[in-house]
């Protein structure tokens, strides 16, 4: 009974750690960025915390966007122009609110869909209340392995979701272009056909008129 209770407690700790990973470690968001627009986000960070900003343009135009990251004093830590995707890691040098902005001001008519993941700090320990002197048990080691595997699965799922969304956007854009091209070809074909019929009728009309004048 004690063994089962200990295993159940370990599993609860694993589930709790997975829940903590969803909201403690920064922000993850996909948002719409209109043309000629700029969107900024803010994060309170303590000194010495390691952070990573990763972003990717999912849909829109040439799949590029401007990105800028500033510290609490307004100093630029990262700045890139017209990037499709990128990742930047830094360690906070001071306490305060850090700001990172995405700009589509260079685009006049195309809006973008942007995904970003801003990770703050390291993962919380899987067994935070344990003051251990000995090595992990077999059950605890298995839980740690499962925990790491689940994080990898989440990263892969996010990556493939972004690729799928980008591929779907390009396919829909291509389908729209093909549809407009087909409509244009149909209109041109109709105009050419009508022009040929009118031209042929004009030939026969001129011949009939000439013949009538000769007889009279």
């Amino acid at each position: 009974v004690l063994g089962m209770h200990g295993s159940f407690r370990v599993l609860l700790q694993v589930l709790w750690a997975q829940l903590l990973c969803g909201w403690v470690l920064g922000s993850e968001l996909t948002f719409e960025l209109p043309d000629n627009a700029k969107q900024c986000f803010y994060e309170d960070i303590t000194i010495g915390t390691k952070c990573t900003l990763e972003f990717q343009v999912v849909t829109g135009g040439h799949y590029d966007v401007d990105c800028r990251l500033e510290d609490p004093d307004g100093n630029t830590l990262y700045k890139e122009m017209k990037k499709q995707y990128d990742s930047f890691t830094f360690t906070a040098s001071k306490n305060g609110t850090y700001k990172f902005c995405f700009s589509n001001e260079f685009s006049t008519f195309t809006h973008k869909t942007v995904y970003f993941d801003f990770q703050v700090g390291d993962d919380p320990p899987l067994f935070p209340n344990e003051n251990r002197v000995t090595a992990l048990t077999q059950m605890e080691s298995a839980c740690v392995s499962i925990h790491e595997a689940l994080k990898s699965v989440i990263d892969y799922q996010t990556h493939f979701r972004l690729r799928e969304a980008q591929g779907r956007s390009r396919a829909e854009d291509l389908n729209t272009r093909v549809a407009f091209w087909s409509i244009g070809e149909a209109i041109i074909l109709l105009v050419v056909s009508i022009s040929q019929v009118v031209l042929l009728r004009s030939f026969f009309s001129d011949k009939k008129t000439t013949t009538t004048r000769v007889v009279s």
Side-chain angles (χ1 to χ4, degrees):
V1 177
L2 292 177
M4 293 179 59
H5 176 72
S7 300
F8 183 70
R9 179 171 58 85
V10 170
L11 290 175
L12 286 179
Q13 289 177 335
V14 172
L15 293 175
W16 178 247
Q18 291 295 326
L19 291 175
L20 288 177
C21 290
W23 57 273
V24 171
L25 304 178
S27 306
E28 184 178 8
L29 182 65
T30 301
F31 66 97
E32 295 285 339
L33 186 62
D35 52 282
N36 294 313
K38 181 179 180 180
Q39 184 70 46
C40 294
F41 302 88
Y42 303 86
E43 187 77 27
D44 293 330
I45 305 175
T46 57
I47 187 173
T49 303
K50 184 179 179 181
C51 308
T52 300
L53 173 62
E54 181 180 358
F55 68 92
Q56 178 178 344
V57 180
V58 182
T59 63
H62 296 289
Y63 302 91
D64 53 356
V65 73
D66 297 341
C67 182
R68 183 186 184 97
L69 173 65
E70 297 179 355
D71 66 7
D73 294 334
N75 300 319
T76 301
L77 303 178
Y78 171 84
K79 181 180 179 181
E80 288 291 342
M81 310 295 290
K82 295 185 178 181
K83 295 286 290 187
Q84 294 184 351
Y85 59 89
D86 202 3
S87 179
F88 176 69
T89 301
F90 68 98
T91 301
S93 59
K94 58 191 69 176
N95 296 324
T97 301
Y98 287 72
K99 179 176 73 172
F100 56 100
C101 300
F102 299 96
S103 174
N104 193 30
E105 295 174 326
F106 59 86
S107 179
T108 56
F109 59 89
T110 304
H111 76 281
K112 311 287 177 61
T113 302
V114 183
Y115 162 84
F116 75 85
D117 182 13
F118 192 61
Q119 300 177 2
V120 180
D122 298 323
D123 291 342
L126 193 58
F127 305 102
N129 298 325
E130 297 289 340
N131 297 321
R132 22 185 95 257
V133 181
T134 59
L136 296 176
T137 64
Q138 184 177 359
M139 183 66 179
E140 292 169 341
S141 299
C143 290
V144 172
S145 299
I146 294 173
H147 175 69
E148 297 297 329
L150 287 176
K151 289 196 299 181
S152 298
V153 168
I154 292 173
D155 292 338
Y156 278 116
Q157 285 180 335
T158 301
H159 173 70
F160 284 115
R161 277 199 302 267
L162 292 176
R163 291 191 60 182
E164 187 272 335
Q166 192 174 65
R168 184 176 64 249
S169 174
R170 291 181 176 177
E172 291 175 353
D173 182 61
L174 180 61
N175 180 61
T176 301
R177 294 184 181 183
V178 170
F180 281 124
W181 180 261
S182 301
I183 293 173
E185 284 187 330
I187 294 175
I188 293 174
L189 182 61
L190 180 62
V191 171
V192 171
S193 300
I194 294 175
S195 301
Q196 289 178 343
V197 171
V198 172
L199 184 61
L200 290 174
R201 290 189 63 180
S202 67
F203 288 160
F204 287 107
S205 298
D206 292 342
K207 185 176 180 181
K208 183 178 180 181
T209 303
T210 304
T211 304
T212 303
R213 287 178 182 178
V214 171
V215 173
S216 61

